[in-house]
């Protein structure tokens, strides 16, 4: 019996505008690590439209196989099997040599310590000039970009105190401390952004 595919409406809504940005950023062949693959909808959509890339899904060890129904149905030759990745452990040794990283809607779910560890791991894994794209909602100057984001932040905090929309100022400082320079901050639909970081020279 075929396993029912998990589904995220948010992924369906944002996959096209994100792809438009990624297609202009990941222009050279290489392996793109996705942190927090979730349902697998992004992986399938991006890999099918960017055949010059090899997509490497990954997620928390408890969730990394959630995407398999989507991957099994798509059977794309440029998607690798998903890998377990617990960013807090800092164990990135089992990953293939990557040329870029993509992550969507993860920074506000992780504890800040996990965000810090993720940035350090990405910086160590990326080659010089490699790109890390982080998608999601962010706050600016202590303010949310919309009432809906403010409500979303309150909802996150109510679920767990460690969660919440991250401040761009904190992320920028974290990037600078880990060798990741914020190169672009792209406005996308539904009050979300795509932050484009580039690995600087060591």
């Amino acid at each position: 019996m075929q396993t029912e595919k998990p589904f995220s409406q948010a992924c369906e809504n944002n996959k096209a505008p994100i792809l438009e940005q990624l297609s202009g950023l990941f222009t050279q062949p290489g392996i793109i690590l996705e942190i927090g693959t979730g349902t697998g909808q992004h992986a399938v959509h991006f890999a099918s439209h960017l055949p010059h890339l090899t997509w490497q899904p990954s997620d928390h060890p408890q969730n990394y196989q959630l995407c398999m129904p989507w991957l099994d149905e798509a059977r794309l030759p440029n998607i690798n099997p998903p890998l377990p990745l617990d960013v807090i452990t800092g164990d990135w040794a089992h990953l293939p040599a990557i040329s870029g990283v993509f992550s969507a809607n993860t920074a506000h779910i992780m504890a800040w310590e996990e965000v810090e560890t993720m940035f350090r791991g990405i910086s160590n894994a990326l080659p010089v000039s490699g790109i890390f794209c982080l998608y999601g909602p962010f706050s600016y100057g202590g303010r949310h970009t919309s009432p809906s984001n403010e409500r979303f932040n309150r909802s996150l905090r109510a679920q767990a105190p460690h969660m919440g929309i991250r401040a761009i100022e904190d992320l920028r400082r974290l990037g600078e401390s880990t060798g990741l320079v914020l190169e672009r901050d792209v406005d996308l639909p539904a009050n979300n952004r795509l932050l484009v970081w580039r690995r600087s020279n060591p």
Side-chain angles (χ1 to χ4, degrees):
M1 187 174 75
Q2 186 176 13
T3 304
E4 183 177 352
K5 293 189 300 181
F7 180 81
S8 165
Q9 187 60 53
C11 284
E12 287 301 298
N13 295 344
N14 64 36
K15 66 184 184 181
I18 294 177
L19 174 64
E20 183 178 355
Q21 296 299 319
L22 297 188
S23 63
L25 292 165
F26 296 137
T27 58
Q28 300 300 314
I31 298 176
I32 305 301
L33 171 67
E34 181 180 12
I35 297 176
T37 296
T39 63
Q41 289 163 257
H42 277 160
V44 168
H45 187 70
F46 300 154
S48 65
H49 286 82
L50 302 170
H52 63 287
L53 298 176
T54 297
W55 205 260
Q56 178 58 68
S58 75
D59 212 322
H60 190 275
Q62 294 178 348
N63 300 325
Y64 79 102
Q65 292 185 319
L66 180 68
C67 63
M68 285 308 301
W70 281 87
L71 271 56
D72 285 343
E73 181 182 79
R75 296 186 179 277
L76 293 172
N78 60 326
I79 301 184
N80 287 341
L83 293 174
L85 177 62
D86 186 350
V87 296
I88 201 67
T89 67
D91 180 18
W92 302 66
H94 67 299
L95 298 175
I98 63 172
S99 56
V101 179
F102 170 77
S103 190
N105 293 320
T106 51
H108 57 264
I109 300 298
M110 297 176 177
W112 181 247
E113 181 185 3
E114 292 176 298
V115 178
E116 292 177 315
T117 308
M118 178 174 69
F119 268 65
R120 286 195 293 270
I122 289 170
S123 182
N124 290 332
L126 277 178
V128 172
S129 296
I131 289 176
F132 163 40
C133 293
L134 180 63
Y135 172 86
F138 306 99
S139 66
Y140 294 76
R143 296 177 179 235
H144 296 288
T145 58
S146 70
S148 63
N149 278 3
E150 187 172 0
R151 290 192 298 271
F152 180 49
N153 186 64
R154 286 199 302 268
S155 172
L156 289 169
R157 297 288 189 192
Q159 291 178 59
H162 72 264
M163 297 196 300
I165 292 176
R166 304 303 172 190
I168 190 67
E169 296 83 5
D170 292 339
L171 291 171
R172 191 189 297 270
R173 283 191 291 270
L174 176 58
E176 290 172 354
S177 72
T178 55
L180 295 168
V181 178
L182 184 58
E183 192 171 83
R184 299 187 205 174
D185 182 350
V186 184
D187 185 18
L188 291 182
N191 303 304
N192 286 305
R193 319 284 299 188
L194 186 72
L195 305 182
V196 181
W197 310 81
R198 191 176 294 273
R199 179 69 171 92
S200 63
N201 288 312

